[in-house]
Amino acid sequence: MTDTQPESHQLSSTVTRSMDDPTATDAISPRENDTPSTAAGKRSHIVPTNGPDRGASEPVDATALTQALHSVEGDVQSRQRTPMGSPSRKRQRIYGDRFIPNREGRDLQASFSLIPDPPSPATPSKSKKRTPHGELHFQRTEEANRTFSTLLRQEVFDGTVPQPTPPHLSPDAAFSPTSHSTAINDPSRARTPPSNHTSTSLPPASLTPSTPHKNMFTYMSPQHHRNGSSRLTPHGTPGSRRSQRGPNMDPNSDLYSTSPIHFDSQRLLLSPKKTPRAVSKVPFKVLDAPDLADDFYLNLVDWGSSNNLGVGLGSCVFMWNSGTGKVTKLCDLQDDIVTSVSWIQRGSHVSIGTSKGLVQIWDAERCRRLRTMTGHTARVGALAWNDHILSSGSRDRSILHRDVRQPDQWLRKLTGHKQEVCGLRWNAEDGQLASGGNDNQLMVWDKLNANPLWKLTNHTAAVKAIAWSPHQHHLLASGGGTADRRIKFWNTQTGTCVNEIDTGSQVCNLAWSKNSNELVSTHGFSQNQIVVWKYPSMTQVASLTGHTYRVLYLAMSPDGQTVVTGAGDETLRFWKCFNKRERNGIGGEGVGSRLEQWSTIR
């Protein structure tokens, strides 16, 4: 005992000094920032707690204390080497209503190995079905959305917007001393809160914001409102009301229906739907057109009634027969350049405008020039036929009417434009001529009069695109250039604009469908697209792309189903945009369209 007391006294004094001097504990205990939160639990093994009270002079086992200190230092060093080896207990996972990705418990290596390898070209795999995103899918989606909206409105509101229950029909009205019968549209219903007296200065309920009654899903039936004698009681039952009206003998009543929706909604869903028209986004034929000029003010493509397509390429004019696919060279001007091509409405004659201001008439069947006419001092960029009258527009700002039956060079000269005339179209049925120029003006001329009937200056860019509607009298469509980008529709009887739309790009050409109330437009900067529009809603039926340059040229086939477009990329692309003509539908231009309904005997 005497040998151990000095040792225990020395050890206790050392522990006492270490508690008095914090810096002295560095030799036997780890730093405070390295000591874990459970160090106090470790010290419980050093100081026993068996006795109820322990004094400072109680002897301490030096060997146990040394072993305890070494164990603490070892734990601290192991935590510094392996940070993930925390002795703290595992936290309990809490699951909520939100989905949080959790990768625990998954073998990512095995999951990655299950991913199929991309198919090789030698062994093609079955392609995955792509989500449709074409114009037809868009039209079907819009039709489905409209049907759903109509059905939902029919089911919830029964085709009418609901009104809040009048005070005299609400359950609380029975306990109100001022309850009295009022009309459905009584202004007192719009007051917030309702008052006992009727005010005559308030506007109707449809114009004044109102707070509906708390029983907002209780309504008055039209029969009760018409009779005015029966009132809806708070505790009324369907059986009591049905007994007052008698048995329902209507077989289409909702009482006898096995469907969860009303009879009107069933009829809406079962009614035949109009199938949206699909327009191919790919041209069915592409022809090379070398030397096709990229000039906005020229008109180098036209499709004649004889099913021949005329194209001006440099100094030559070529014809392509759509029936046989044969290409014929009509002429070569040698020292001149072709600036416009136009076929007569019926027949095989074609007119050609040149850069020297000449107008030539050729017989396409015999490939023979019939006549050369003068009168212009600059290039002829626009030509238009009206039976035997041929009108030509030039860069010299004039329009010349020519009667091809007479030997005179020209019959009448029109001088209304201040810059080059780049658009010219005749309305054969109404006898009106529309001309567009680089001066941003659109003019309407009545027959052969020298003075314009209308001067329309609403466009802010050159007007080249002009088209008369074959379905409505005196309806003219015109399109503006890059600075305008708008298609406008005019009533040439009154000279007013009846409709317009911003297309977002330069309008180069316009053409009405001969078989339906639609029109097609070609565009330049900056999208180079062909758009089919539904008139008068002006909704897009299809938007076709493929040209890499401005689509400056447009022509329609004689049957009205196909359009051909030309651009500076030196290609001609053929698109099937319209359906066949309906037998009882509206025809196209000229007398042939009016007689076509009698062309079939049976």
Side-chain angles (χ1 to χ4, degrees):
M1 294 293 291
T2 57
D3 296 336
T4 60
Q5 287 180 357
E7 185 179 357
S8 61
H9 179 72
Q10 182 181 2
L11 182 61
S12 62
S13 62
T14 303
V15 174
T16 304
R17 286 197 309 270
S18 65
M19 296 179 65
D20 295 339
D21 187 6
T23 61
T25 63
D26 295 338
I28 61 174
S29 64
R31 294 186 299 274
E32 184 179 358
N33 57 354
D34 295 335
T35 304
S37 60
T38 58
K42 295 294 182 179
R43 290 195 186 96
S44 63
H45 298 283
I46 301 175
V47 183
T49 59
N50 295 331
D53 188 13
R54 183 170 299 277
S57 62
E58 186 177 354
V60 180
D61 190 356
T63 305
L65 182 60
T66 303
Q67 293 177 357
L69 292 176
H70 283 301
S71 65
V72 171
E73 292 178 358
D75 292 342
V76 172
Q77 293 176 1
S78 63
R79 291 191 195 96
Q80 293 177 351
R81 289 193 300 269
T82 58
M84 298 301 294
S86 176
S88 60
R89 63 188 182 89
K90 189 176 181 180
R91 182 181 300 175
Q92 184 179 3
R93 185 179 290 107
I94 300 176
Y95 294 95
D97 58 346
R98 292 185 302 169
F99 173 73
I100 301 177
N102 185 11
R103 298 183 179 178
E104 295 183 5
R106 295 185 181 181
D107 191 353
L108 297 181
Q109 183 66 27
S111 301
F112 180 78
S113 300
L114 293 176
I115 299 177
D117 295 332
S120 61
T123 58
S125 61
K126 186 176 181 180
S127 60
K128 192 178 296 182
K129 186 177 181 180
R130 297 185 300 176
T131 304
H133 57 275
E135 201 73 27
L136 182 60
H137 173 71
F138 174 76
Q139 295 180 29
R140 289 176 176 171
T141 303
E142 289 296 318
E143 181 67 23
N145 292 338
R146 286 193 295 267
T147 303
F148 177 76
S149 300
T150 306
L151 180 64
L152 184 62
R153 189 183 300 108
Q154 182 78 18
E155 288 295 311
V156 177
F157 300 138
D158 197 17
T160 59
V161 178
Q163 296 291 339
T165 306
H168 73 284
L169 293 180
S170 64
D172 298 339
F175 304 97
S176 176
T178 60
S179 61
H180 56 279
S181 179
T182 58
I184 290 291
N185 295 325
D186 187 72
S188 62
R189 295 175 56 209
R191 290 196 297 272
T192 305
S195 58
N196 294 335
H197 62 278
T198 303
S199 174
T200 59
S201 61
L202 292 177
S206 59
L207 301 178
T208 306
S210 62
T211 301
H213 196 269
K214 63 180 182 179
N215 296 325
M216 61 182 301
F217 289 105
T218 303
Y219 309 106
M220 182 182 70
S221 63
Q223 182 176 358
H224 281 75
H225 176 55
R226 288 193 301 267
N227 297 338
S229 58
S230 59
R231 295 183 180 180
L232 188 65
T233 60
H235 305 287
T237 59
S240 61
R241 291 194 297 270
R242 187 164 58 251
S243 62
Q244 296 176 4
R245 296 193 300 266
N248 192 338
M249 304 301 295
D250 184 9
N252 296 328
S253 174
D254 295 333
L255 296 175
Y256 312 117
S257 176
T258 59
S259 175
I261 59 177
H262 294 160
F263 178 75
D264 293 337
S265 300
Q266 299 179 39
R267 185 168 53 186
L268 174 65
L269 293 177
L270 295 177
S271 61
K273 302 295 186 299
K274 185 177 181 180
T275 305
R277 180 165 60 88
V279 178
S280 176
K281 296 296 187 70
V282 181
F284 65 88
K285 184 181 290 293
V286 179
L287 298 179
D288 290 330
D291 296 332
L292 185 62
D294 184 21
D295 194 330
F296 176 80
Y297 301 97
L298 305 185
N299 294 271
L300 297 176
V301 178
D302 195 21
W303 205 328
S305 60
S306 58
N307 213 11
N308 283 324
L309 179 69
V311 184
L313 302 177
S315 61
C316 303
V317 175
F318 291 88
M319 296 185 301
W320 176 79
N321 189 290
S322 62
T324 62
K326 183 180 178 181
V327 177
T328 305
K329 184 177 180 180
L330 178 63
C331 65
D332 188 352
L333 303 182
Q334 299 295 332
D335 57 346
D336 208 345
I337 297 176
V338 178
T339 55
S340 57
V341 176
S342 179
W343 289 89
I344 194 170
Q345 283 100 332
R346 292 174 304 278
S348 60
H349 291 178
V350 58
S351 58
I352 300 172
T354 69
S355 60
K356 293 184 177 181
L358 303 177
V359 176
Q360 298 182 3
I361 300 178
W362 286 73
D363 186 351
E365 290 183 354
R366 300 177 176 85
C367 293
R368 185 169 62 92
R369 186 177 61 186
L370 302 178
R371 187 174 181 183
T372 300
M373 293 178 287
T374 61
H376 290 294
T377 58
R379 69 179 184 185
V380 179
L383 294 169
W385 286 87
N386 183 15
D387 290 336
H388 56 275
I389 298 296
L390 174 61
S391 302
S392 58
S394 172
R395 183 181 260 181
D396 62 7
R397 301 171 294 179
S398 65
I399 300 173
L400 295 180
H401 291 314
R402 311 170 189 269
D403 191 343
V404 296
R405 302 171 302 178
Q406 299 180 4
D408 299 334
Q409 295 297 322
W410 50 271
L411 181 65
R412 190 67 52 86
K413 186 175 183 178
L414 311 180
T415 56
H417 288 279
K418 299 178 180 178
Q419 292 189 35
E420 179 177 5
V421 179
C422 52
L424 212 57
R425 286 291 184 275
W426 268 104
N427 183 1
E429 294 184 357
D430 298 327
Q432 292 181 336
L433 174 70
S435 63
N438 196 35
D439 54 358
N440 308 344
Q441 290 190 7
L442 174 66
M443 296 188 181
V444 179
W445 312 80
D446 189 19
K447 298 181 175 58
L448 301 180
N449 293 337
N451 296 322
L453 180 64
W454 303 107
K455 280 188 177 183
L456 309 174
T457 60
N458 298 50
H459 285 288
T460 58
V463 183
K464 176 192 176 185
I466 300 173
W468 291 94
S469 172
H471 314 297
Q472 183 176 343
H473 288 285
H474 305 287
L475 179 59
L476 173 66
S478 62
T482 307
D484 186 77
R485 307 184 305 273
R486 306 186 74 86
I487 299 176
K488 296 178 181 292
F489 298 88
W490 310 88
N491 183 349
T492 58
Q493 274 189 321
T494 60
T496 57
C497 181
V498 296
N499 197 357
E500 65 176 300
I501 185 173
D502 189 351
T503 63
S505 57
Q506 179 187 36
V507 183
C508 300
N509 292 278
L510 286 172
W512 287 88
S513 170
K514 302 176 182 180
N515 308 331
S516 60
N517 200 17
E518 297 174 337
L519 73 158
V520 58
S521 61
T522 66
H523 300 268
F525 300 123
S526 58
Q527 301 179 27
N528 305 328
Q529 80 275 29
I530 302 104
V531 182
V532 180
W533 306 88
K534 186 73 175 179
Y535 186 83
S537 62
M538 291 308 292
T539 55
Q540 285 192 18
V541 178
S543 180
L544 313 175
T545 57
H547 286 287
T548 57
Y549 281 67
R550 298 179 296 174
V551 188
L552 299 177
Y553 311 108
L554 171 69
M556 185 174 294
S557 62
D559 60 1
Q561 299 184 52
T562 305
V563 296
V564 57
T565 57
D569 55 8
E570 299 183 348
T571 61
L572 295 174
R573 298 173 185 264
F574 295 79
W575 316 80
K576 184 174 175 56
C577 294
F578 305 105
N579 296 328
K580 293 182 179 180
R581 186 198 310 271
E582 297 180 2
R583 179 168 298 182
N584 296 328
I586 301 176
E589 301 174 351
V591 179
S593 62
R594 293 194 292 267
L595 298 179
E596 189 167 345
Q597 56 181 331
W598 309 105
S599 60
T600 304
I601 299 177
R602 292 182 180 178

